[in-house]
Amino acid sequence: MSETFSQEAVERKRRAWDWLFKAPFRTETNPARVLTIERAGRLVGGVFLLPTEVTLDGVPTPAVLPIGNNIRPNDRGAGMVTLKTCFNLGHGGITVGLASSDRLSAVWVRLGAAESPPRTLCRKLYRPGSILALRGRLPRMLGGPLDAVFRLPLAIIGIMRPSQRKTERIVPIETFGPEFDTAWEAARPSVKCAISRTSAHLQWRHIESPFPAGRCLALYRDRKLAGYVAITIAPTGSGPAGRVTDIFAYTGTARDYGLLLAAADAEFMRARCTYGEIAYGCSKAIDTAAWRAGFFSRKQTRPLNLGHENPDARADLPRLAADMHFCRADHDEDY
């Protein structure tokens, strides 16, 4: 990996290594494992096969996420062997790939994978003056005054966000308990395509991770769990940046996503973030909520690639991929 990735990326994978083998969806037929690629007895690359579960049309389905895929620079051709093998693991489910380039994405498609629509990355600026000053594009003395001027449009944008009703509250999550399973089971029949949000998975991903979410918040309505959001705040060259790593509203409504994003927004502003961002796949409700919350800066990122070992199920993947709920925490972008 050190010949393929940056040293920081290698160290992050090293920290996550033992934790990855404790993935809650692992089974005898779909274990956590490493696929290694050899040529003439010489190791030339490998990929970690993370066992997970994807709900397709409301039905839990075993799945694999190939992560940390790396091939030695002088043995690039071996990558094709890796991708082909990922399609024939014998786990009876689907493989969800996130290609690092258009070329690799095209290979996935040639192998029979369905492509999701491109994911969307949205950003909201809080302190544009500070960003420009740190980047040398604005005199430092003008950064603060520009930030102050920018607070007015931020306040106006805030009017578009939904307000909490008396029956609604947002509270910190200490642990993902059984109520998250109850809420997920009620929502699951209407889910077209998403990583299963069981309590064991959420606890593993957001609480037990070597890189835990900075804060997890739950939305309750009439004392009933209605959704959750997980956020991190990380240092960048232009100041702290807020990220929505995971978000799910069990009702699926833009209003509930708006309430959760408003809570994340408040945390970002309290931490004096220069900007906040959210990345998601194929959710009109999140898209509407993000727009109303002021996440106006948008760009398309790489699509996901979904493959299935069953030919009949594979034929239905384009329909399902077009409606896939996918957040940053659903892949290895943070570890």
Side-chain angles (χ1 to χ4, degrees), residues 129-130 132-147 237:
S130 298
L132 292 173
L134 285 168
R135 293 180 179 177
R137 299 178 182 176
L138 186 75
R140 189 173 294 272
M141 66 178 65
L142 297 180
L146 180 57
D147 289 342

Side-chain angles (χ1 to χ4, degrees), residues 99-253:
S100 58
S101 68
D102 291 338
R103 183 180 62 83
L104 284 177
S105 186
V107 172
W108 278 90
V109 172
R110 286 202 301 272
L111 291 173
E115 254 191 350
S116 74
R119 293 173 300 147
T120 302
L121 174 66
C122 298
R123 282 185 175 175
K124 179 177 181 178
L125 296 180
Y126 300 114
R127 299 166 60 201
S130 298
I131 293 175
L132 292 173
L134 285 168
R135 293 180 179 177
R137 299 178 182 176
L138 186 75
R140 189 173 294 272
M141 66 178 65
L142 297 180
L146 180 57
D147 289 342
V149 171
F150 199 69
R151 291 190 192 111
L152 177 59
L154 285 179
I156 295 173
I157 290 169
I159 298 174
M160 298 190 295
R161 299 183 309 196
S163 300
Q164 286 185 48
R165 298 165 182 161
K166 291 183 179 180
T167 58
E168 298 168 337
R169 61 191 178 98
I170 292 180
V171 299
I173 299 171
E174 300 295 334
T175 184
F176 288 90
E179 63 181 331
F180 287 86
D181 283 322
T182 301
W184 170 250
E185 285 303 309
R188 183 169 56 82
S190 62
V191 173
K192 292 293 183 184
C193 186
I195 302 292
S196 296
R197 258 71 176 170
T198 65
S199 63
H201 173 72
L202 296 177
Q203 181 74 11
W204 172 80
R205 180 62 185 85
H206 296 302
I207 306 297
E208 298 171 2
S209 166
F211 308 97
R215 195 163 173 81
C216 298
L217 303 169
L219 167 65
Y220 285 87
R221 179 177 299 107
D222 296 321
R223 299 184 179 182
K224 184 178 180 181
L225 181 64
Y228 72 88
V229 62
I231 67 171
T232 59
I233 296 173
T236 70
S238 56
R243 292 192 181 106
V244 175
T245 56
D246 193 8
I247 188 169
F248 195 85
Y250 298 103
T251 60
T253 65

Side-chain angles (χ1 to χ4, degrees), residues 286-321:
I286 297 179
D287 196 66
T288 299
W291 181 262
R292 291 174 179 170
F295 289 79
F296 297 147
S297 176
R298 294 166 174 238
K299 70 175 182 177
Q300 301 298 304
T301 63
R302 298 199 179 282
L304 299 163
N305 299 106
L306 278 67
H308 204 297
E309 295 185 1
N310 184 304
D312 294 331
R314 190 185 308 147
D316 199 31
L317 284 179
R319 176 183 68 86
L320 297 169

Side-chain angles (χ1 to χ4, degrees), residues 23-91:
F25 288 123
R26 67 190 187 282
T27 64
E28 288 187 7
T29 56
N30 190 21
R33 50 186 163 171
V34 179
L35 172 68
T36 58
I37 310 300
E38 295 182 3
R39 278 181 170 170
R42 182 174 61 93
L43 181 68
V44 299
V47 58
F48 188 89
L49 303 175
L50 180 67
T52 188
E53 181 182 275
V54 173
T55 292
L56 299 175
D57 270 340
V59 179
T61 305
V64 164
L65 291 173
I67 62 175
N69 188 13
N70 64 102
I71 302 295
R72 289 183 186 275
N74 294 330
D75 292 277
R76 290 297 183 187
M80 181 64 74
V81 179
T82 308
L83 296 180
K84 286 182 177 179
T85 305
C86 287
F87 271 79
N88 298 281
L89 295 171
H91 65 294

